[in-house]
Amino acid sequence: MDHPDHMSQAVDVAVGAIRGAGPARLDVPTPCAEFTARKLLHHLAFGLLLAQLSAERRGTDPSWTSYDIAPYLDGVPEEQWAELAAAQGAATARAWADPAAWEGETTFGGSPMPAAAVGSMMTSEFVLHGWDLATATGGTVDVSEGLAATALEGVQAIAQMGRDGGWFGAEVALPADASTLDRALAASGRDPRWTA
């Protein structure tokens, strides 16, 4: 299985978590201490859009002054968020299905980066934040072993930068027989045993 397949699977994890959140569950805490489920849903939804733009070598809209609310969900009734996020997820997966999306340089949120690094980072991001949102709202995620291994590799590649930047916590100790997904979560500072 190659990178585009893993990206597509990771998008499915993210969209599935958004579908499972539901309007009644948006104010609960999440494993990301600074995010309620509502804020995390917007972060994940915005990430889907930013990933598409990066794959297509398109910049962000200069009118976006905040990354707190996904622009395509802004002002839209909460009941419609899941379908709109699913449509955005499909566009993101299509953009990264092109092998050229993984080659050369691109930008992400205005910063130049190797395209393959963006793809790897966002594949991991969708798995991790999909798990965060699903876990917070009483759901589960379906992550294949191959996707979990890709997420773990992606997390390990940026773990120190993430800790230095404050968006990863210290690695969580796990038993030797921990699953690959749990190891990816722990490497990013998440406790796979988290409960609300």
Side-chain angles (χ1 to χ4, degrees):
M1 191 172 296
D2 57 18
H3 292 301
D5 290 326
H6 286 145
M7 173 63 87
S8 180
Q9 287 183 16
V11 166
D12 288 345
V13 169
V15 169
I18 290 171
R19 284 189 184 281
R25 300 177 176 175
L26 293 178
D27 295 314
V28 299
T30 73
C32 301
E34 70 277 20
F35 288 160
T36 61
R38 178 185 310 277
K39 188 171 180 180
L40 181 58
L41 185 152
H42 273 287
H43 181 77
L44 196 49
F46 214 147
L48 290 168
L49 174 57
L50 292 175
Q52 179 195 2
L53 296 177
S54 182
E56 295 174 349
R57 308 306 195 261
R58 293 194 288 146
T60 57
D61 189 319
S63 70
W64 297 341
T65 57
S66 168
Y67 287 86
D68 291 335
I69 297 177
Y72 61 95
L73 303 183
D74 192 15
V76 176
E78 294 169 353
E79 294 76 14
Q80 298 176 25
W81 287 0
E83 289 308 313
L84 292 173
Q88 177 57 61
T92 302
R94 279 194 305 273
W96 285 98
D98 182 353
W102 298 82
E103 298 171 357
E105 295 285 316
T106 188
T107 59
F108 184 79
S111 300
M113 293 178 67
V118 173
S120 172
M121 177 180 71
M122 294 312 293
T123 298
S124 298
E125 172 97 345
F126 295 148
V127 171
L128 297 176
H129 279 321
W131 178 87
D132 291 330
L133 186 59
T135 300
T137 56
T140 58
V141 291
D142 182 15
V143 179
S144 70
E145 180 63 20
L147 178 57
T150 296
L152 175 59
E153 181 181 338
V155 169
Q156 289 173 332
I158 61 172
Q160 190 57 55
M161 180 174 63
R163 283 188 249 291
D164 292 345
W167 31 275
F168 279 179
E171 184 167 1
V172 175
L174 293 179
D177 62 350
S179 71
T180 306
L181 176 59
D182 283 358
R183 289 168 55 214
L185 295 167
S188 72
R190 290 162 168 82
D191 187 341
R193 299 154 292 201
W194 183 92
T195 57

